[in-house]
Amino acid sequence: MFNKAKETWREFPLTFWILVITTFIDKIGGTLIFPFFALYVTQKFDVGMTQAGVLLAIFSVSGFLGSMIGGALTDKFGRRGMVLFGLVFSALSSLSMGIVDELSVFYLLAVVVGLLSNIAGPARQAMVADILPEEKQAEGYGILRVAGNLAWIMGPMIGGFLAAKSYLLLFILDAITSLITAVIVYKLVPETKPEVPEEQRQETILEMLVGYRVVMGDKVYVAYLITSMLMLIVYQQMYNTLSVFLRDVHGVSTQGYGFMLSLDAGTVVLFQFWVTRRIKRYAPMLMMAIGTAFYLVGFTMYGFVSTYILFVTAILLITIGEMIVMPVGQALVAHFAPEDMRGRYMAFFALSWTIPAAVGPWAAGLIMDNYDPNWVWYAAGIISAVAIAGFCALHLITRPRLASVD
């Protein structure tokens, strides 16, 4: 194992590994808060899951707008500065969210935080595509997922215990990790943006934003984006709706839910790289369909089972699905994108997360507050089935275009 680790280290450049380390540090802070955000909002402001879903929707929509702006700025000015800005603002926004006591102010804060804290997202993703050759990108995104999930092993368990004492501690620690990451990026990560033609360097920001018409004109890419939205509407329920469902319907504690997420993360750490290397030889759209099939089974189980061991089993099935779809899905975006538009393609892909994050928790909240909560998971199974059919259709359409990825 040690020799394999050394071989893997040598296969990738040092800049990539520094990016992996900074991702790990920053993710520790994020995983302290994100799994417990719905619990925090419902408890602190004494509201139902519907209003928590509205807040999550505001974060997502404003985050997408920030990502779109960030994508254009990334292609115009480069990656490093955008990442640094995002990290510093993330620290400030975490402290603000932990201090605010009025729900109306929190709504306003959600708009500002979502807009500016997500502005660096496209730059991070574009860096991987800049640093690695195309044939290594799926593995690179897989390694980033391992780093992120190492943080998930620690974050939810620590967050579960701290949340029982004070949610403010979670926000403070998140701010500290963001600032530490910013220092490392400033000292060790160089600019990775490829050289572009002189006429592009002279483009205005408005012209760069207008360039999104090219992205929207890529019909196959847009079809892939829409199908991914359906899949992610289901997947994102694991990080907001599921915690409230398990607490209110089955009496599972925050520690119990945190352990489930840590188990998910630990499984990814142990097996993600192994899985990614073995699936890269197969057609990517079919891999997306197979991964979504695991989502279908895992999430639907929550509507039928009522014991903790079966809740854990469902999480493990979902984990297998995400180990397949996450690195492949990100590598597909990098493959679709022309080199000089990577930031904007990455930013537009954020739409596949934004709409699910806006619609999913809100719709699930309406169901949980007004109908049988199990219908959240029945609906998840139906939506997953539609997404599977979509990926299979895209496989037939994209086989010539994705020959090198296959």
Side-chain angles (χ1 to χ4, degrees), residues 244-258:
V244 178
F245 173 81
L246 292 177
R247 180 193 66 184
D248 294 350
V249 177
H250 296 289
V252 176
S253 66
T254 56
Q255 288 89 345
Y257 172 67

Side-chain angles (χ1 to χ4, degrees), residues 260 298 301-302 304-315:
M260 290 167 62
M301 279 181 65
Y302 287 108
F304 295 95
V305 303
S306 57
T307 59
Y308 188 73
I309 187 64
L310 290 177
F311 297 153
V312 172
T313 301
I315 280 288

Side-chain angles (χ1 to χ4, degrees), residues 24 37 84 95 103 112 132 141 202 204 213 258 287 291 307 319 366 369:
F24 169 70
F37 185 79
L84 287 171
L95 293 175
L103 183 60
V112 179
L132 301 180
Y141 287 116
Q202 295 175 354
T204 66
R213 289 185 303 183
M287 291 299 97
T307 59
T319 303
L366 287 177
D369 291 345

Side-chain angles (χ1 to χ4, degrees), residues 256-372:
Y257 172 67
F259 170 78
M260 290 167 62
L261 293 188
S262 294
L263 180 64
D264 165 79
T267 304
V268 171
V269 169
L270 291 174
F271 298 107
Q272 178 68 78
F273 194 63
W274 181 86
V275 169
T276 304
R277 285 213 153 171
R278 276 149 187 79
I279 65 175
K280 69 178 183 179
R281 71 191 73 173
Y282 300 109
M285 290 299 179
L286 288 183
M287 291 299 97
M288 296 296 289
I290 291 171
T292 306
F294 279 99
Y295 287 176
L296 187 155
V297 177
F299 281 104
T300 305
M301 279 181 65
Y302 287 108
F304 295 95
V305 303
S306 57
T307 59
Y308 188 73
I309 187 64
L310 290 177
F311 297 153
V312 172
T313 301
I315 280 288
L316 290 174
L317 290 172
I318 293 166
T319 303
I320 295 172
E322 67 175 293
M323 284 193 294
I324 296 171
V325 304
M326 293 301 174
V328 173
Q330 197 68 58
L332 277 168
V333 179
H335 181 82
F336 276 114
E339 187 178 85
D340 62 342
M341 295 191 69
R342 279 177 181 158
R344 280 166 286 186
Y345 265 76
M346 295 293 181
F348 202 70
F349 186 66
L351 189 64
S352 69
W353 288 85
T354 300
I355 291 181
V359 174
W362 171 76
L366 287 177
I367 294 172
M368 289 183 62
D369 291 345
N370 299 286
Y371 305 100
D372 180 358

Side-chain angles (χ1 to χ4, degrees), residues 85-307:
F85 174 83
L87 288 168
V88 173
F89 188 84
S90 178
L92 295 175
S93 64
S94 292
L95 293 175
S96 301
M97 287 189 293
I99 294 172
V100 168
D101 290 321
E102 294 292 331
L103 183 60
S104 58
V105 178
F106 204 91
Y107 276 115
L108 180 62
L109 185 63
V111 176
V112 179
V113 170
L115 184 67
L116 294 181
S117 63
N118 282 351
I119 203 167
R124 285 176 176 268
Q125 299 300 324
M127 271 186 164
V128 178
D130 294 340
I131 295 168
L132 301 180
E134 187 173 298
E135 65 273 11
K136 302 293 289 185
Q137 287 172 5
E139 292 179 37
Y141 287 116
I143 292 172
L144 277 180
R145 290 207 69 242
V146 170
N149 279 276
L150 275 172
W152 272 104
I153 293 175
M154 302 169 60
M157 293 187 71
I158 297 171
F161 287 108
L162 292 179
K165 300 179 181 298
S166 170
Y167 279 105
L168 180 59
L169 289 174
L170 305 183
F171 292 101
I172 292 173
L173 287 176
D174 181 37
I176 291 171
T177 56
S178 292
L179 292 176
I180 291 172
T181 307
V183 171
I184 296 174
V185 171
Y186 179 76
K187 293 287 187 180
L188 300 177
V189 177
E191 178 57 65
T192 64
K193 180 175 177 288
E195 287 294 323
V196 296
E198 178 64 29
E199 59 270 18
Q200 184 177 329
R201 289 199 293 268
Q202 295 175 354
E203 283 184 297
T204 66
I205 299 300
L206 180 59
E207 289 171 335
M208 297 291 287
L209 288 170
V210 170
Y212 277 109
R213 289 185 303 183
V214 176
V215 184
M216 291 184 283
D218 190 336
K219 294 180 181 178
V220 177
Y221 180 65
V222 171
Y224 168 66
L225 189 95
I226 293 170
T227 308
S228 297
M229 286 180 196
L230 296 174
M231 175 192 70
L232 290 170
I233 282 176
V234 175
Y235 175 72
Q236 289 195 14
Q237 302 304 320
M238 186 168 75
Y239 296 109
N240 39 67
T241 309
L242 183 58
S243 62
V244 178
F245 173 81
L246 292 177
R247 180 193 66 184
D248 294 350
V249 177
H250 296 289
V252 176
S253 66
T254 56
Q255 288 89 345
Y257 172 67
F259 170 78
M260 290 167 62
L261 293 188
S262 294
L263 180 64
D264 165 79
T267 304
V268 171
V269 169
L270 291 174
F271 298 107
Q272 178 68 78
F273 194 63
W274 181 86
V275 169
T276 304
R277 285 213 153 171
R278 276 149 187 79
I279 65 175
K280 69 178 183 179
R281 71 191 73 173
Y282 300 109
M285 290 299 179
L286 288 183
M287 291 299 97
M288 296 296 289
I290 291 171
T292 306
F294 279 99
Y295 287 176
L296 187 155
V297 177
F299 281 104
T300 305
M301 279 181 65
Y302 287 108
F304 295 95
V305 303
S306 57
T307 59

Side-chain angles (χ1 to χ4, degrees), residues 377-390:
W377 314 112
Y378 305 153
I382 295 169
I383 295 170
S384 295
V386 175
I388 291 168

